[in-house]
Amino acid sequence: MARRSRTGVVALLGGLLLALAAAPLQIAPVAAAAPVAPAAPAGDGTGMVMVLDSSGSMAEDDGSGSTRIASARKAVGTVVDALPTGYPTGLRVYGADKPKGCDDTRLAQPVAALDRAGIKRAVARVTPKGDTPIGLSLRKAAADLPKAADGSIGKRTILLISDGEDNCQTPPPCKVAAQLAASGVDLHIDAIGFQVAGKARAQLECIAKSGNGQYYDAPDAKSLARQLQRAGQLSADGYRFKGMKVHGTPTRNNAPGIFPGQYLDSIGPNEKRYYATDLDAVSTAEYSATVVPQPGAAIGYLDALHTEIAYGVDSTCESTTELFGQREGATPLTSGISRIPSQTGTRGCDKSGRYWLVVERKAAKGSDASSWPLELTFHVKHPLEKGVTPAQSSPEYGAGGKDAPVPTTAPKDVTGGTGFNDARPLTPGVWRDKVLPAQTLWYKVPVGWGQQLRYDVEFANEPTVRHYSATTSFGRTQVYTPSRAPVGGGTGEFTPQVSYNGRLTSLQMGTVPVAWTNRYETNPNVVPVHDKGDFYIAVTLGAKASEIAQNPQIGVVLRVAVLGKEKTGPEAGAAVAKADVSHGDSGPSEEGAQDGDGGWSTGRVVAVAVGGVGVLLLAGLVAAFVRARRKQQPGDGSSDPMRGGSW
């Protein structure tokens, strides 16, 4: 769960970026926007190759009267049936062709648009025979996968299924996994241990950790099918990136210039990235930075994403730090920050000139060592026109507090998006979805002037692997402003994270009313709620839920309310808008419909024109916020029970 600490000046108005003074910012030309295809070819750099252990031990009884290879065949069939149509998928086997030999690995089905029947035929022909050359098979599997085109971010997955350790050790599998993970931000290795223990399990866990992936334990045939389906779907439903490629520098010198829009970069552990912007003296500049680790990648409780706005020689206007706040595994994490000029216009950050957005990833020893994709957004907002008096600020939750009623109608089915860029549009009402362990689902709800968002999230009562388990995971939620600033935690009103052990549990969340003058407040959960638009809801289930629930996915219900009458503008005395969104209960708009066959993530980059407003993602939700803020000067500024498997 993400925690936030903010330091710095957050005061008044809107910030615009202008770079027509001093030296003009240098930036690469913007590519034309690319449509998202329903099924991308393998060359787009996204896909998965399953690496199946077909060594002699897979011919042994699995304890259910069947062989391990027979159970593996069924599990592979289950996962390919669940994958989106067209998702690039292949199959590599080892130990299937020779009684003995450490070079016994081959590609049984090339990575191409999903051929369910072809993969099932390929695995049906496998007869366990030989050795276990895992290291060599991983190296070959990486070459089987498509490579992303220049300037794009794909998602390449190696999914290893094994019942034992590598008995060849040339090359060492953990070392190979680390080398492959370090070769780019888009490759990770998940490992499923089928009836393994001791050294074999330790090696597979090492491969997954070194390969920037997850380890799934499968003690029997049913759990093998369940864990394989989870790993496959997480690969296919990866975060959809948007933005133009940019390369931040480790210092201010030669930092690339960015204009309002959306950008893509990458950042390694304990690295800094600088981006230059030129701002005028009266407009608000709003930035967001989102890192997108592989789901479940190793993190520490205090691993964090830090952002700040720097100016002058060594001065800082504002800084914010978002923490993962848990050790179960990585999820997307977003930090939002703004330069808001003061009412007096006399502070250092009120001047026009050159500023820098600084992004820093903080990682503890033992955390994931790979570079993570980094998505940036930059928005600018002009001040109100002269003579317009804004409505007073709304720093209290009031009628939108935790006791506010939410809808109790029958739920409608919905499928959440993979991130900010394809968040599923919702209207007020009750919605039902399913979430995987280590997955974050994304939704967006329009909220107007004078309105506030209030919602509940319920995680289903699911059948568990064991009758009772001491294992506990978590469910969490976070809400973001249109500029992607997290505002749902640390206030004492709402708690964004709750323990989950397979039994029904719920969270409450909301925002204060939208008011232009909120930018003058000091509370970091009030200041960003100063503009109408789409507010984003993120719902996350912890990675350890994979050890708890029998079903691959866990049910989740959202009860969404938009409270208050929408005003026609931010000014004092604004009339009530004719269309009152708080009374709506229609389905998701066409904009949120899935793309083509299943709507899987292509991982491709969609370029955003300079000046376009791109909104960004977040990930970590907040367990508690650690915040420190420089003192500002005066004047500155009811639950339906849900049972798994019944849907």
Side-chain angles (χ1 to χ4, degrees):
M1 157 169 166
R3 296 189 174 184
R4 182 183 338 165
S5 83
R6 294 177 177 253
T7 342
V9 182
V10 191
L12 149 65
L13 243 84
L16 173 129
L17 151 155
L18 249 12
L20 300 177
L25 296 176
Q26 299 300 313
I27 193 163
V30 182
V36 177
D44 285 341
T46 290
M48 176 176 68
V49 59
M50 290 179 280
V51 178
L52 178 61
D53 186 347
S54 305
S55 61
S57 59
M58 288 292 284
E60 296 175 5
D61 193 309
D62 70 353
S64 68
S66 182
T67 61
R68 291 177 179 175
I69 193 64
S71 295
R73 291 188 187 110
K74 291 179 183 178
V76 170
T78 298
V79 71
V80 298
D81 285 342
L83 289 173
T85 299
Y87 183 68
T89 308
L91 175 70
R92 173 172 284 276
V93 297
Y94 60 81
D97 298 330
K98 303 176 183 178
K100 193 166 185 61
C102 286
D103 61 348
D104 185 3
T105 179
R106 66 178 164 86
L107 185 62
Q109 183 77 9
V111 180
L114 180 61
D115 179 358
R116 295 186 175 93
I119 292 176
K120 291 177 183 178
R121 283 194 301 269
V123 76
R125 290 193 289 263
V126 170
T127 302
K129 289 186 179 71
D131 289 317
T132 313
I134 294 177
L136 178 62
S137 297
L138 293 177
R139 185 171 287 171
K140 297 278 190 181
D144 297 335
L145 289 163
K147 291 212 170 105
D150 186 39
S152 65
I153 297 177
K155 182 171 184 179
R156 301 184 297 153
T157 302
I158 298 173
L159 179 50
L160 171 65
I161 308 107
S162 180
D163 75 339
E165 62 181 315
D166 188 323
N167 67 347
C168 293
Q169 292 297 322
T170 49
C174 274
K175 185 175 181 180
V176 171
Q179 290 170 344
L180 293 175
S183 65
V185 299
D186 62 337
L187 177 65
H188 75 286
I189 303 169
D190 291 331
I192 299 178
F194 185 23
Q195 298 185 328
V196 296
K199 290 183 179 179
R201 175 167 177 164
Q203 185 181 78
L204 292 172
E205 288 177 337
C206 176
I207 289 169
K209 183 175 181 180
S210 301
N212 189 26
Q214 284 193 75
Y215 172 76
Y216 298 85
D217 192 48
D220 53 45
K222 286 185 179 179
S223 59
L224 176 63
R226 176 173 62 245
Q227 303 292 44
L228 188 55
Q229 185 175 339
R230 283 171 173 161
Q233 286 187 248
L234 274 177
S235 175
D237 293 336
Y239 185 86
R240 293 188 184 221
F241 295 97
K242 261 190 182 180
M244 185 172 64
K245 199 73 175 176
V246 66
H247 297 286
T249 53
T251 66
R252 298 185 188 190
N253 296 334
N254 301 316
I258 60 172
F259 297 93
Q262 190 157 316
Y263 300 87
L264 290 174
D265 202 349
S266 63
I267 189 167
N270 300 310
E271 288 183 346
K272 273 188 179 183
R273 294 282 184 269
Y274 282 79
Y275 310 89
T277 61
D278 285 342
L279 306 179
D280 67 14
V282 296
S283 299
T284 296
E286 298 180 327
Y287 307 89
S288 72
T290 299
V291 286
V292 187
Q294 297 295 344
I299 53 167
Y301 190 85
L302 298 179
D303 283 10
L305 183 65
H306 175 82
T307 55
E308 63 183 60
I309 301 172
Y311 76 103
V313 177
D314 57 1
S315 299
T316 299
C317 297
E318 173 82 4
S319 67
T320 302
T321 299
E322 300 290 339
L323 307 180
F324 283 104
Q326 48 89 12
R327 297 186 182 90
E328 286 189 30
T331 57
L333 185 64
T334 295
S335 180
I337 195 168
S338 300
R339 192 291 298 259
I340 302 177
S342 71
Q343 290 174 291
T344 61
T346 57
R347 296 181 305 185
C349 290
D350 294 340
K351 299 176 181 178
S352 63
R354 179 64 53 89
Y355 292 76
W356 289 268
L357 168 65
V358 187
V359 182
E360 182 179 6
R361 174 184 160 193
K362 299 183 178 181
K365 184 179 180 181
S367 295
D368 179 28
S370 65
S371 290
W372 292 347
L374 172 66
E375 192 173 69
L376 307 170
T377 62
F378 174 25
H379 303 146
V380 292
K381 302 292 175 64
H382 296 284
L384 296 179
E385 294 181 3
K386 288 185 178 180
V388 174
T389 302
Q392 67 180 31
S393 60
S394 299
E396 305 296 334
Y397 285 90
K402 60 186 177 182
D403 295 326
V406 292
T408 57
T409 55
K412 299 178 182 179
D413 290 334
V414 69
T415 301
T418 67
F420 283 112
N421 301 312
D422 65 347
R424 189 61 177 262
L426 297 181
T427 53
V430 184
W431 305 99
R432 180 172 59 186
D433 205 345
K434 291 188 177 183
V435 62
L436 293 161
Q439 186 179 39
T440 300
L441 300 175
W442 297 83
Y443 313 88
K444 60 183 179 182
V445 181
V447 182
W449 294 113
Q451 293 184 310
Q452 60 189 131
L453 178 62
R454 170 72 176 83
Y455 67 94
D456 286 357
V457 180
E458 299 168 3
F459 295 91
N461 184 23
E462 290 282 345
T464 55
V465 174
R466 300 174 187 83
H467 217 49
Y468 171 78
S469 174
T471 302
T472 300
S473 185
F474 67 86
R476 71 185 177 198
T477 188
Q478 180 60 285
V479 58
Y480 306 94
T481 68
S483 62
R484 301 183 182 182
V487 295
T491 62
E493 184 72 18
F494 298 108
T495 301
Q497 182 163 304
V498 67
S499 295
Y500 181 71
N501 62 3
R503 298 176 182 175
L504 178 68
T505 189
S506 63
L507 288 167
Q508 300 168 311
M509 186 53 66
T511 71
V512 298
V514 177
W516 191 89
T517 324
N518 281 348
R519 67 192 67 219
Y520 298 117
E521 296 290 335
T522 58
N523 188 310
N525 296 282
V526 173
V527 173
V529 189
H530 57 235
D531 201 3
K532 69 170 186 175
D534 286 330
F535 279 66
Y536 296 87
I537 295 172
V539 176
T540 300
L541 184 65
K544 278 192 176 180
S546 65
E547 303 173 22
I548 299 170
Q550 279 187 13
N551 295 322
Q553 296 172 297
I554 287 79
V556 62
V557 164
L558 287 87
R559 303 179 183 275
V560 180
V562 177
L563 306 174
K565 301 290 185 180
E566 181 181 3
K567 301 298 180 64
T568 55
E571 66 273 14
V576 174
K578 290 182 180 179
D580 184 8
V581 70
S582 64
H583 293 157
D585 192 17
S586 59
S589 72
E590 290 301 317
E591 178 189 353
Q594 286 186 319
D595 298 301
D597 296 316
W600 57 270
S601 170
T602 64
R604 70 175 61 191
V605 173
V606 180
V608 175
V610 168
V613 178
V615 227
L616 177 36
L617 131 76
L618 150 47
L621 309 248
V622 228
F625 283 137
V626 183
R627 55 177 184 274
R629 180 186 279 287
R630 282 206 302 264
K631 185 176 180 181
Q632 293 186 329
Q633 298 300 318
D636 285 352
S638 65
S639 302
D640 296 330
M642 305 191 313
R643 305 220 171 247
S646 63
W647 296 2

